[in-house]
Every structure is written in structure tokens, then in C-alpha cells.
Amino acid sequence: MATLSQDQRQALLDELSGMKFARAKGKLARMDPKGRLAYYRTVQQAGEWHTKFLLEGKGIAVTLVEVNHAANDQARNKQNFEFVNVIIEALDA
């Protein structure tokens, strides 16, 4: 497993931070043939929705963090997600 260096991870973080959610998700899906989507828009922390990709060929896990600004009584298909953060972690060998 080839891991990305700290500089490469920081460059990827900067690149993904400047994108919209759908574009970042698409880039991660195409980035590694061994990669997979671990989970999509699950609540891992209060008020935050996480989407996680495991890029095993690159040796990293990337989490895209969103915040939902919709009201509690709003329909499910009318949600208002805002892409706010990217977390990149090295996978343990």
C-alpha cells in the first residue's frame, strides 16, 4: 500500500476544500481503483453529516463533512446541505 506523503495529503485537502460536494465526491470516487465508499451522509457527530471514502491504494481515508440547514419539518428531498470541511487520515498498515 503506497501512502501519500504529508505534502501530498495537504495538497489534496486544499484541492478538495475548494470544490463543491458533488465534485469532491466524484474526484474521490475516481481517484483510486481500490477505493470504496464507506458511508454516505450519516450523522457521526451532532449537527454534522459525514461521507467517508477509504482509498486503500493511496493509504488514506477521506471524510467530507456537511452541515444541514433545513428546518426539522422540511421534506426530506428539500434538505439544504452545506459542504464545510474535509478530513484526511492515514490508514494504518
Side-chain angles (χ1 to χ4, degrees):
M1 168 175 31
T3 57
L4 295 179
S5 69
Q6 182 65 29
D7 294 334
Q8 291 171 324
R9 282 185 276 172
Q10 185 62 42
L12 178 62
L13 176 73
D14 294 339
E15 183 179 359
L16 292 174
S17 295
M19 295 181 178
K20 292 186 183 242
F21 176 78
R23 180 162 235 181
K25 186 172 71 110
K27 177 172 180 56
L28 291 171
R30 293 185 309 272
M31 197 170 163
D32 183 12
K34 292 183 180 179
R36 64 185 176 91
L37 179 65
Y39 47 81
Y40 178 74
R41 282 189 177 158
T42 62
V43 179
Q44 299 295 321
Q45 294 179 6
E48 292 183 352
W49 297 70
H50 291 199
T51 299
K52 187 170 193 168
F53 285 87
L54 298 176
L55 304 177
E56 294 172 1
K58 304 287 185 187
I60 58 173
V62 181
T63 305
L64 305 176
V65 181
E66 296 175 286
V67 176
N68 189 355
H69 295 292
N72 287 338
D73 60 346
Q74 198 166 7
R76 184 178 174 132
N77 62 348
K78 301 287 186 187
Q79 300 297 307
N80 185 15
F81 291 101
E82 178 187 1
F83 181 40
V84 294
N85 195 11
V86 179
I87 302 167
I88 299 180
E89 304 164 319
L91 292 175
D92 295 330

